[in-house]
Amino acid sequence: MKPILIGGEWITTSHGVKNINPSDLSDVVDIYAQAGRAETQTAIEAATHAATTWGMSNPQQRHDLLHRVGDEILARREELGALLAREEGKVLPEAIGEVTRAGQIFLFFAAEALRQKGDVLASTRPGVGIEVTREPIGVVGIIAPWNFPIAIPAWKIAPALCYGNTVVFKPAELVPGCAWALADILHRSGLPAGVFNLVIGPGSVVGQAMLDDPRVNAISFTGSQATGARVAKASLPFLRKIQLEMGGKNPLVVLDDADLDVAVHCAVDGSFFSTGQRCTASSRLIVTEGIHDRFVGAVADRLATLRVGHALDKATHIGPVVDAAQLSQDVDYIAIARSQGGLLRFGGEMVRRETDGYFLAPALITETSPDMRINREEVFGPVASVIRVRDYDAALHVANDIEFGLSAGICTTSLKHATDFKRKAQAGMVMVNVPTAGVDHHVPFGGRKASSYGSREQGTYASEFFSVVKTSYTAA
Ligand code: NAD
């Protein structure tokens, strides 16, 4: 059984949970010790104790540690990618890509540790100088989802440590393997005891214990809207700093003047790769009349060439759905869409393979309208619906007429429409002729409206959340 990490010690608990491979339900990845409320509180105690010393650590020390972590992740990308593919179901090239991303993020924040800067200003009062500096917040609680088991933890843990905070990390229940591997690398990097702690366990126990504890000074959360709202509500009484990245219902607009190949690539990649289990997936394909039939036909033809199967099989393009609950949600939404008048143009059926796994053929649903549930609620699976619209103005209206605002895309060769869309799309990220999913690691990531709350993640913008500003006045 793989232990949890508290105060620099690996600790085994009385209860372990099996990590099952969604591509092969007979394959147990490993068994992971479960933390309870008491262990979580001990981890918070350890992080609190370590915060003062780590907060005063010098930038070179932080740089060297983060660099060591990034180097090891990159050196082991194939092995860790295989672990990720096995526990989450991303196909191997995508999984290796995600691990690479995690390594790059640690290297980015290693360098940022050496760039911690402030401002020196003249005062409006004679003989007084002003310095504006950034300081650590203290103990940061990190609560992560299952769909990016190593990249999302990396883009929260690396900046937290870079800016001098200590961490209590709670991964999602379905993906303890990558979390454990990352904790092992961090532990061996030479981090002082208590600076990084790993508590594996259910959200309702471990996550809730973090929310309830006033010693947790900030929480960076990624997950569903419902859990995000819970994090916000629990944090308000403590006036705790929070950062919430939540769901999406991302539009991809395809205009008559789009390059058809580009549009098909954006739709297929954005909607179905990573089994559609990306918060930035394009789940609403909003297509103007003149290209609609050609586009739908070409997407269906392309889908017919893709193989769904075991994530570690080289022939596989789309891996399994992550678990039985998510699979039944996907299948339910396909049925709901059909019951409301949608036409299942391609896929949507369970696929049998040599191993017993959660294989679902990518579903393309046409003849849908913006008010249908399939176009208003996040499915989080390989399911995309097509909405036919008259022109660009109607497309923009439909794209924005939703409570979410994470990523929005457009395929067009019109500079006018691309420019207008970049300006008017109500989303944190806008994509022109590139898929809605797929971002760089060195620039801000996040959404608006119900998709996000708080300051941006990633790149230099991460310092907003992971540090606090101090203004000092000194009379000479
Ligand atoms: P989830 O909300 O079920 O779980 C997220 C995390 O919260 C898990 O670690 C879970 O254990 C924990 N949790 C659950 N109950 C809790 C509680 N009471 N207190 C504290 N923590 C608790 O989400 P999920 O199913 O793991 O992830 C899928 C969701 O994540 C989708 O909605 C997706 O859009 C979203 N997501 C968003 C982004 C983004 O950046 N916007 C990125 C990836 C995923």
Side-chain angles (χ1 to χ4, degrees):
M1 182 156 77
K2 290 273 196 297
I4 55 175
L5 180 65
I6 298 179
E9 305 284 334
W10 290 109
I11 292 169
T12 303
T13 62
S14 55
H15 178 49
V17 165
K18 285 181 186 166
N19 184 6
I20 307 287
N21 179 349
S23 298
D24 178 357
L25 306 186
S26 68
D27 178 27
V28 178
V29 179
D30 215 324
I31 298 174
Y32 292 85
Q34 300 290 293
R37 198 172 173 86
E39 287 84 6
T40 308
Q41 288 168 342
T42 310
I44 295 168
E45 172 73 37
T48 307
H49 189 68
T52 313
T53 323
W54 181 247
M56 300 303 283
S57 60
N58 80 53
Q60 189 67 50
Q61 184 186 3
R62 293 183 209 167
H63 166 275
D64 294 351
L65 285 162
L66 293 169
H67 211 285
R68 222 169 285 145
V69 172
D71 280 346
E72 180 168 344
I73 293 171
L74 290 175
R76 294 173 55 197
R77 66 179 95 186
E78 305 229 336
E79 170 212 340
L80 294 172
L83 170 67
L84 198 163
R86 220 174 130 207
E87 78 168 346
E88 196 263 352
K90 231 167 242 162
V91 292
L92 190 57
E94 286 180 349
I96 294 172
E98 182 182 334
V99 172
T100 305
R101 170 65 52 101
Q104 290 166 336
I105 289 167
F106 272 95
L107 296 185
F108 178 90
F109 284 104
E112 280 303 290
L114 296 173
R115 289 194 201 106
Q116 309 215 0
K117 52 190 188 216
D119 293 320
V120 175
L121 292 93
S123 169
T124 54
R125 288 170 280 169
V128 175
I130 300 175
E131 291 158 32
V132 182
T133 50
R134 285 191 174 273
E135 295 184 355
I137 317 168
V139 177
V140 176
I142 290 177
I143 302 178
W146 50 263
N147 67 325
F148 283 94
I150 195 162
I152 290 181
W155 81 50
K156 294 178 186 297
I157 294 165
L161 298 176
C162 164
Y163 297 111
N165 305 287
T166 58
V167 169
V168 178
F169 168 43
K170 191 213 113 39
E173 290 87 325
L174 290 173
V175 289
C178 286
W180 195 91
L182 184 55
D184 174 50
I185 295 170
L186 282 156
H187 179 60
R188 286 186 291 95
S189 72
L191 271 179
V195 171
F196 174 82
N197 305 273
L198 171 72
V199 278
I200 297 171
S204 56
V205 178
V206 172
Q208 194 63 45
M210 287 164 71
L211 301 190
D212 293 343
D213 200 313
R215 294 171 297 178
V216 178
N217 304 110
I219 290 188
S220 180
F221 166 85
T222 299
S224 65
Q225 222 183 343
T227 315
R230 194 185 275 267
V231 173
K233 207 169 161 196
S235 297
L236 190 61
F238 308 131
L239 303 178
R240 171 195 285 144
K241 198 171 184 182
I242 54 170
Q243 175 180 57
L244 312 175
E245 284 299 340
M246 298 165 288
K249 194 72 204 169
N250 309 293
L252 175 71
V253 169
V254 178
L255 297 184
D256 286 354
D257 62 25
D259 178 313
L260 188 62
D261 289 342
V262 168
V264 170
H265 164 71
C266 289
V268 171
D269 178 313
S271 304
F272 302 111
F273 283 13
S274 298
T275 322
Q277 297 173 152
R278 294 188 282 193
C279 52
T280 46
S282 355
S283 47
R284 295 183 298 145
L285 306 173
I286 303 166
V287 187
T288 49
E289 280 168 352
I291 197 171
H292 178 277
D293 293 355
R294 277 183 297 138
F295 171 78
V296 166
V299 171
D301 287 349
R302 181 76 216 290
L303 290 178
T305 68
L306 301 181
R307 182 177 164 82
V308 177
H310 196 299
L312 291 171
D313 182 343
K314 282 198 173 68
T316 299
H317 300 101
I318 298 175
V321 173
V322 74
D323 72 351
Q326 183 62 54
L327 180 64
S328 96
Q329 178 165 313
D330 298 349
V331 169
D332 284 353
Y333 269 109
I334 294 168
I336 291 167
R338 296 178 81 180
S339 73
Q340 293 192 316
L343 191 72
L344 186 57
R345 173 64 195 259
F346 185 90
E349 73 280 355
M350 299 283 302
V351 178
R352 288 188 74 81
R353 291 287 176 248
E354 279 170 18
T355 51
D356 186 16
Y358 302 120
F359 304 117
L360 178 67
L364 182 68
I365 303 165
T366 59
E367 310 308 329
T368 72
S369 59
D371 54 327
M372 287 181 181
R373 282 184 63 194
I374 193 70
N375 286 321
R376 306 223 70 85
E377 299 166 23
E378 186 182 49
V379 179
F380 218 56
V383 182
S385 47
V386 181
I387 305 170
R388 189 196 301 255
V389 290
R390 197 178 53 253
D391 55 17
Y392 169 73
D393 289 335
L396 177 67
H397 173 76
V398 171
N400 284 338
D401 182 23
I402 193 87
E403 64 170 323
F404 297 104
L406 189 54
S407 182
I410 189 166
C411 292
T412 180
T413 51
S414 156
L415 180 62
K416 180 173 158 233
H417 287 140
T419 306
D420 194 68
F421 191 76
K422 278 193 277 185
R423 196 174 299 141
K424 294 185 182 157
Q426 294 168 4
M429 294 169 292
V430 182
M431 312 291 182
V432 178
N433 295 323
V434 284
T436 56
V439 295
D440 285 12
H441 73 275
H442 64 301
V443 291
F445 176 93
R448 37 173 102 162
K449 295 161 82 174
S451 290
S452 296
Y453 182 87
S455 47
R456 286 284 184 268
E457 303 202 74
Q458 304 201 55
T460 55
Y461 285 67
S463 68
E464 270 311 310
F465 182 74
F466 289 102
S467 64
V468 63
V469 169
K470 179 179 275 177
T471 312
S472 309
Y473 296 82
T474 309

